[in-house]
Amino acid sequence: MNLSSGWDFYWNKHTLNSETKTQTNSYRVKIDSVSDGGQYRCRAGRGKPVYYTQYSDALWVNVTVSAKAVVTVRPDERVFRGETITLRCDIKWGGDTEWTYRWETQGTNNQNNSISTQELNISSVEDFHSGKYTCTGLMGTQRSQRSDAVTLTVSAEAQAAVRVSPQPWLTEGDSVTLICEVTGSSTGWTFSWFRDDDHLSDSSRGAGGSYTLSPAALQHTGVYTCRAERGRPAYYTKNSNTQPLWITGVSPSVSLVVRPSRSQHFSSDSLSLSCEDQRNSTGWTVRRYTDRNTEDCSELSGSRCRLVSLSTSDAGVYWCQSESGEKRHPLNITVHDGDVILESSVDPVIEGDTLTLHCLHRSTNSPILRADFYKDGSLVQNQTTGEMNITTVSKSHEGFYYCKTERGQSLHSWISVRVSAASSSLLVTGVVVGLSVCLLFFLSLLLMWRYKKNKDQQRNINQTSVPNQSAQSQPENSPLQSDSDHIYDDVTEVNTRDKDDPEPLADVTYSEVTVKKKMDRGNTKAESNNVTYSEVGKRGKKCKSKDINPAGPSDLTYAQINIQDKKKTKGKGKSSESGDTLYSELNTDRDAGVGDSTHVLAFWKKGHKKIKTSP
């Protein structure tokens, strides 16, 4: 456009909703990727409110990608002497064409220019292999961009290191995690764990460089180390530093008794240790683990050890060990060259008891008049008596304690808190009682369900089959339908009622009858599945007679009905039809027997009309 003063310029890309404003009519675009290409246009504006020109014609900027080499290295850019490494060159955006490769190194005495080798393998790296590695792809006259440099650093032999979380002093049942790391490297390592130089094959606990003991048990006491490996063929680090774990039992059968009974001691003082078994002291030896090694406590064999003049090299963990190698009651003993130590119990404190700490001075071996007490680095109490009391100890009081005075500072001591046996018994009792109550409740529900189920089954057995009742009244005597061994009878009895009678007009009686066929006299084989029992409930009309108890129950009629095949009778030329013909006879006599004809035994209530019988 014709330039004149007062114009601002606005730049727009088709993929963006916003505009970029400039004071001049030029705009600089840095092309970093394919996405920087596209359709650009501009317009000008001036004044307030702004007057805009129309947009310019669009200008297309096309960005194409040139092939670029990329270097990857296995197992890591930082490697250790003796490891096997592989450098690989890949061509990005190079398509499916076949490339040849050119390697270049800088900063070392080794210049390795190799053609047609996509992977560069070094079987056992040394210090002189350190440097920057780049590669370029070649295909005829076409050449890719050079890769970014990969800096290979070759260090001395790898060293593993182990640390513990939260702390190495445990009470049986606690949890602890050991972490193994390779100094300066974290890629591609797998780990092996050892306790007292014995390999631990439990790989699930050592996965990912962590070895977790949850819950910790007495047999887990020992000195742990780890080792890492990676690559094929495998490259191994040096074994890590040693990390002891000490697990104290809730009620150890063997106790390590320390005199004087404290965990911190002044140098040049004497110390006595002994293994005391509740049954006997034979077969146990006092052993210790120091920075030097694991050894017997002293030249004196057996369950006693006496150190006449302590030195800092005597600091370590002491325990009782059986002839079979069992470790019991480990205790941490520290020796201080300074003038101040912390006096605390060598054994774990029972939860709920009182914990008492003293700050002692070397010359007097008695509490200092003024001392500050710290837990895990934080001030918890400053005293004028050199003593700190915690009246009711809980698990939250576990930690590292030390004291500080104007004469110096003590070493750190770990105070362990153990759950009391009474609390454990109470917890177990509560769990047992709770489970017992739940079990009794479940059994009660089960018995109630079984009782209801049996009751429902009994009710179903006693109930009669009830067919659908017709809306219309049926004849009083309906025929029995017998197309099998079961006969179903639907009887509706229509009664008249008095004016004051509130009962319904019709009483419906349902009956299920099963046929019992008559046996021939010569046939001794009984048919057991043709026995019929019928229960008929009859509701009688209320009467105003004084002889009848108006509060009495409805009449119940029980009948046993037999169906027999009618034989041809030798008569006067007269015979009845053969087949299943129902004969019924009502017997009013309670002692009437059941003969060839059908007998119906009926009961009625006093005051009712007597039922007439017919042949």
Side-chain angles (χ1 to χ4, degrees), residues 139 490 505 590:
M139 185 182 61
D490 185 357
L505 289 173
R590 187 180 296 267

Side-chain angles (χ1 to χ4, degrees), residues 533-565:
Y533 296 96
S534 172
E535 180 178 340
V536 180
K538 180 177 178 183
R539 194 178 216 171
K541 180 182 173 214
K542 286 185 178 180
C543 299
K544 296 181 180 179
S545 173
K546 294 181 180 179
D547 298 332
I548 299 175
N549 183 6
S554 301
D555 294 341
L556 295 178
T557 303
Y558 298 86
Q560 178 175 336
I561 303 172
N562 296 333
I563 301 295
Q564 66 177 5
D565 292 340

Side-chain angles (χ1 to χ4, degrees), residues 204-446:
S204 62
R205 284 179 172 169
S210 295
Y211 188 87
T212 300
L213 298 171
S214 180
L218 293 176
Q219 65 267 25
H220 295 142
T221 293
V223 179
Y224 289 78
T225 56
C226 70
R227 185 182 65 191
E229 65 176 275
R230 71 178 178 184
R232 291 291 180 271
Y235 170 80
Y236 295 95
T237 68
K238 289 182 178 179
N239 281 7
S240 71
N241 58 302
T242 57
Q243 175 58 63
L245 279 186
W246 309 107
I247 295 93
T248 303
V250 176
S251 298
S253 59
V254 178
S255 298
L256 178 62
V257 179
V258 180
R259 298 180 180 88
S261 181
R262 62 188 185 218
S263 58
Q264 294 188 16
H265 300 267
F266 291 112
S267 58
S268 300
D269 283 356
S270 62
L271 178 65
S272 173
L273 306 101
S274 61
C275 293
E276 297 185 5
D277 195 338
Q278 295 176 358
R279 294 163 297 183
N280 58 72
S281 60
T282 59
W284 294 96
T285 302
V286 180
R287 289 180 63 79
R288 67 179 182 176
Y289 167 80
T290 64
D291 290 338
R292 298 190 302 269
N293 53 12
T294 301
E295 60 187 5
D296 289 346
C297 177
S298 68
E299 295 180 357
L300 296 175
S301 59
S303 59
R304 294 185 178 275
C305 169
R306 181 170 177 79
L307 303 173
V308 177
S309 182
L310 289 170
S311 66
T312 54
S313 62
D314 291 317
V317 179
Y318 293 72
W319 69 91
C320 296
Q321 184 164 321
S322 68
E323 295 176 352
S324 61
E326 294 179 84
K327 301 181 181 72
R328 290 292 183 269
H329 207 168
L331 297 177
N332 188 37
I333 302 297
T334 58
V335 180
H336 192 26
D337 276 336
D339 292 331
V340 177
I341 63 172
L342 179 71
E343 183 181 48
S344 61
S345 173
V346 292
D347 292 315
V349 184
I350 305 299
E351 192 174 34
D353 287 355
T354 298
L355 171 64
T356 301
L357 302 176
H358 293 98
C359 209
L360 303 182
H361 190 264
R362 178 186 289 270
S363 61
T364 61
N365 212 14
S366 60
I368 302 173
L369 294 180
R370 180 177 179 83
D372 297 332
F373 292 87
Y374 294 79
K375 175 181 179 288
D376 298 329
S378 300
L379 179 66
V380 291
Q381 200 165 352
N382 48 355
Q383 296 281 341
T384 59
T385 61
E387 178 181 291
M388 187 182 80
N389 290 309
I390 302 176
T391 55
T392 304
V393 175
S394 66
K395 224 19 178 166
S396 62
H397 291 116
E398 277 191 338
F400 285 100
Y401 288 80
Y402 66 95
C403 67
K404 183 188 290 186
T405 73
E406 58 183 12
R407 300 180 182 181
Q409 177 180 314
S410 73
L411 299 176
H412 294 63
S413 285
W414 173 261
I415 303 298
S416 180
V417 178
R418 189 176 69 201
V419 178
S420 65
S423 300
S424 302
S425 301
L426 184 61
L427 177 61
V428 172
T429 303
V431 171
V432 171
V433 170
L435 292 176
S436 301
V437 170
C438 293
L439 181 60
L440 288 175
F441 180 71
F442 173 75
L443 291 175
S444 299
L445 291 178
L446 181 63

Side-chain angles (χ1 to χ4, degrees), residues 8-56:
D8 293 322
F9 300 90
Y10 300 88
W11 307 88
N12 173 263
K13 187 171 181 287
H14 73 291
T15 58
L16 300 176
N17 295 325
S18 60
E19 293 181 319
T20 301
K21 179 182 176 180
T22 63
Q23 300 293 327
T24 63
N25 64 336
S26 64
Y27 178 54
R28 185 177 181 84
V29 180
K30 186 175 186 300
I31 304 299
D32 288 325
S33 65
V34 175
S35 62
D36 292 321
Q39 184 181 14
Y40 291 83
R41 58 182 181 171
C42 70
R43 65 176 177 173
R46 68 179 176 182
K48 290 185 178 180
V50 180
Y51 168 77
Y52 294 99
T53 67
Q54 294 182 355
Y55 276 106
S56 68

